[in-house]
Amino acid sequence: LNTLMIQGTEGVLRGSVAARVPNALRSYLLYLRDFVYTGRLSVLDLPHEVIAYWELGLAAIVLAAVSAAAVVMARRHPRYGAPFLAGWLFFLISIFPMSGILQSGFSIRADRFMYMPCLGLGMMVVFGWPLVKLPKPVSIGAGVALIAVLLVATNARLMLWQHPLALADHDLRIEPVNPYLEHTAGIAALQANRPEEARAHFQRAHDLDAEDFFPPGPRGASRHPATMRETPVISAFRRDPRRAPRRPC
């Protein structure tokens, strides 16, 4: 609602419904994947113009199957099934604005969009666990192992966020054809005082999207014409590369 009020419908309803709905279905599937497997988290995922039919089919089957299972569990085991269903509905509703139906900026999906919706999936794990009916020692051991894995995965991702260039390079390995990630990596390289690497990233961004990104300048810096101004980091780098700020501006 805040996004709609600030940007208006033109700012968040980009493209046709026929283009947004397939991306939304795909995003739901990928959000569920990222909850289970964190190795492909990304800070910026662009809309896809063409999505394979098998991805759309798989997304529809998974959403329908989990929804049906949650309803059945709520009816047969109200004590645990009702909260399980509530968690699933919480996830479906809270992630809807970040699924690709609405779009603020260039990204339709990002790992940071999962912060609140993950609470719903967490409810499903907590209240669905007793229904598995594992032996108590096995259940406790599996719970401890799960918490340990989550702690390790969280720490690994947080370590990446401490180093912007490493984060951008990691995400580029996941989604190599992304001019916005290339531009972000270029700015991070400037902050790390690595102008040649910055030039390569800026050039790659320009090669991928010549309309939105200018080619690198004589010192490796570039700018995004959508804002019609250079970022503070790039401006400082043009003036004096030795005094370029090391922190995001």
Side-chain angles (χ1 to χ4, degrees), residues 27-95:
S27 292
Y28 269 105
L29 181 64
L30 296 183
Y31 279 130
L32 290 173
R33 179 205 65 188
D34 291 340
F35 181 75
V36 178
Y37 172 66
T38 61
R40 295 186 65 84
L41 292 173
S42 177
V43 299
L44 195 156
D45 189 10
L46 299 179
H48 287 235
E49 296 181 2
V50 179
I51 300 177
Y53 287 118
W54 71 265
E55 278 191 280
L56 297 178
L58 180 60
I61 291 171
V62 169
L63 292 176
V66 177
S67 299
V71 171
V72 171
M73 290 172 62
R75 290 180 176 179
R76 294 184 178 178
H77 310 280
R79 182 180 179 183
Y80 297 110
F84 184 92
L85 175 60
W88 177 240
L89 292 176
F90 181 87
F91 167 75
L92 291 178
I93 296 171
S94 59
I95 205 68

Side-chain angles (χ1 to χ4, degrees), residues 129 134-148:
W129 196 279
L134 294 172
K136 189 173 182 180
V138 176
S139 181
I140 293 175
V144 171
L146 176 61
I147 292 174

Side-chain angles (χ1 to χ4, degrees), residues 13-26 47-51 53 56 100-101 108:
L13 299 179
R14 303 183 181 187
S16 64
V17 175
R20 293 199 304 271
V21 170
N23 275 285
L25 273 175
R26 177 179 177 271
H48 287 235
E49 296 181 2
V50 179
I51 300 177
Y53 287 118
L56 297 178
I101 292 294
I108 63 165

Side-chain angles (χ1 to χ4, degrees), residues 193-234:
N193 197 26
R194 296 158 72 170
E196 293 304 319
E197 188 172 346
R199 176 187 293 276
H201 283 297
F202 287 135
Q203 185 62 55
R204 175 67 172 162
H206 174 68
D207 292 341
L208 292 173
D209 189 350
E211 293 184 1
D212 283 343
F213 294 94
F214 293 135
R219 291 181 177 176
S222 179
R223 63 192 177 102
H224 194 299
T227 60
M228 297 310 295
R229 65 180 179 85
E230 294 182 337
T231 64
V233 169
I234 294 175

